[in-house]
């Protein structure tokens, strides 16, 4: 495989998009050697889309339920990814399980960030679940995406202490602060690996 020009990223988000924005900033500061080619959103009222507009990043949004099947939804997404020349998919708060259409097209080229120290507290509420369990420590995991829920190969983890006076809000803030630094770093490392493969 060979490739000209920088690696092109698509970020998938369903919500606020703070990790999307942190990544765009890292690209603009040139700490991540890539282009953010596209934001893909499965919630047309998500704040991530407002950020994309402000940051002048192209975006597409969908109502997945309007498609007859997961496969047909993902095929439509795939067409947009191909049109945008995307090399690597970065999930950032994307609340949907990736199906076989995208997994096969982007084998080992889909990365996710999860707000816990996997394998602990997988699923939709990683921060809340660690907090409710009374854990004294949680963290952030960046991993490759496979067909499971938060089960792919772990690329990096960072611990976050849960202090006795933490509230769910203060814990969320600490986790997001770690995410916004860790995710761009790990993406940059992974890009270097992909570039070697392309060379
Ligand atoms: C992050 O905590 C991420 O780990 C999880 O969803 C959240 C997304 O936050 N997968 P944001 O939309 O990037 O602000």
């Amino acid at each position: 495989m060979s490739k000209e020009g920088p690696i092109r990223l698509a970020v998938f988000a369903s919500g606020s998009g703070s990790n999307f924005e942190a990544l765009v900033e890292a690209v603009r500061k040139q700490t991540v050697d890539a282009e953010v080619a596209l934001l893909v959103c499965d919630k047309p009222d998500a704040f991530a889309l407002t950020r994309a507009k402000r940051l002048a990043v192209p975006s597409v949004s969908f109502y997945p339920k309007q498609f007859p099947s997961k496969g047909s939804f993902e095929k439509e997404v795939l067409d947009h990814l191909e049109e945008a020349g995307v090399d690597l998919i970065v999930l950032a708060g994307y609340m949907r399980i990736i199906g076989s259409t995208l997994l096969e097209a982007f084998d080992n080229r889909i990365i996710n960030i999860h707000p816990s120290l996997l394998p602990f507290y997988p699923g939709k509420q990683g921060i809340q679940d660690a907090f409710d369990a009374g854990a004294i420590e949680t963290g952030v995991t960046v991993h490759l995406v496979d067909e499971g829920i938060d089960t792919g190969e772990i690329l990096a983890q960072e611990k976050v202490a849960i202090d006795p006076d933490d509230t769910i809000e203060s814990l969320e803030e600490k986790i997001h602060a770690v995410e916004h630094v860790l995710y761009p770093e790990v993406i940059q490392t992974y890009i270097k690996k992909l570039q070697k493969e392309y060379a």
Side-chain angles (χ1 to χ4, degrees):
M1 219 188 299
S2 74
K3 157 148 181 76
E4 280 177 28
I7 293 277
R8 293 174 68 77
L9 309 177
V11 180
F12 284 30
S14 307
S16 158
S18 70
N19 281 283
F20 159 65
E21 179 153 357
L23 182 57
V24 172
E25 277 170 12
V27 165
R28 292 187 179 168
K29 283 189 203 138
Q30 298 182 332
T31 53
V32 172
D33 184 14
E35 263 179 43
V36 181
L38 191 64
L39 174 76
V40 174
C41 191
D42 65 336
K43 293 239 163 41
D45 59 351
F47 188 61
L49 288 163
T50 307
R51 294 188 201 254
K53 208 168 178 187
R54 170 161 51 75
L55 296 163
V57 173
S59 62
V60 281
S61 65
F62 302 96
Y63 290 102
K65 284 191 176 147
Q66 290 179 346
F67 290 81
S69 64
K70 192 180 189 81
S72 62
F73 164 61
E74 290 200 341
K75 176 72 182 68
E76 174 76 19
V77 172
L78 192 53
D79 288 346
H80 285 274
L81 299 178
E82 281 169 359
E83 199 184 319
V86 168
D87 304 294
L88 178 64
I89 296 175
V90 171
L91 307 184
Y94 185 67
M95 304 304 278
R96 194 164 287 280
I97 296 167
I98 301 292
S100 56
T101 304
L102 286 173
L103 281 173
E104 280 163 24
F106 281 82
D107 183 34
N108 278 322
R109 286 184 298 137
I110 309 179
I111 299 183
N112 184 40
I113 187 160
H114 182 79
S116 78
L117 292 177
L118 291 172
F120 299 104
Y121 313 115
K124 286 187 177 174
Q125 306 198 104
I127 304 176
Q128 185 79 50
D129 290 346
F131 188 79
D132 290 349
I136 57 164
E137 177 177 271
T138 184
V140 175
T141 301
V142 180
H143 64 95
L144 290 176
V145 173
D146 63 12
E147 58 287 340
I149 299 177
D150 303 325
T151 51
E153 181 191 330
I154 291 175
L155 299 176
Q157 291 189 302
E158 190 166 325
K159 291 176 182 172
V160 174
I162 306 179
D163 299 319
D165 59 351
D166 264 323
T167 60
I168 185 70
E169 290 80 17
S170 68
L171 180 59
E172 275 169 6
E173 250 175 63
K174 287 199 289 192
I175 291 211
H176 290 317
V178 168
E179 288 182 335
H180 296 165
V181 178
L182 182 68
Y183 210 12
E185 281 175 6
V186 179
I187 289 167
Q188 172 62 11
T189 304
Y190 202 72
I191 284 171
K192 289 271 163 243
K193 183 177 173 284
L194 284 181
Q195 280 168 336
K196 274 191 196 149
E197 285 173 22
Y198 282 137

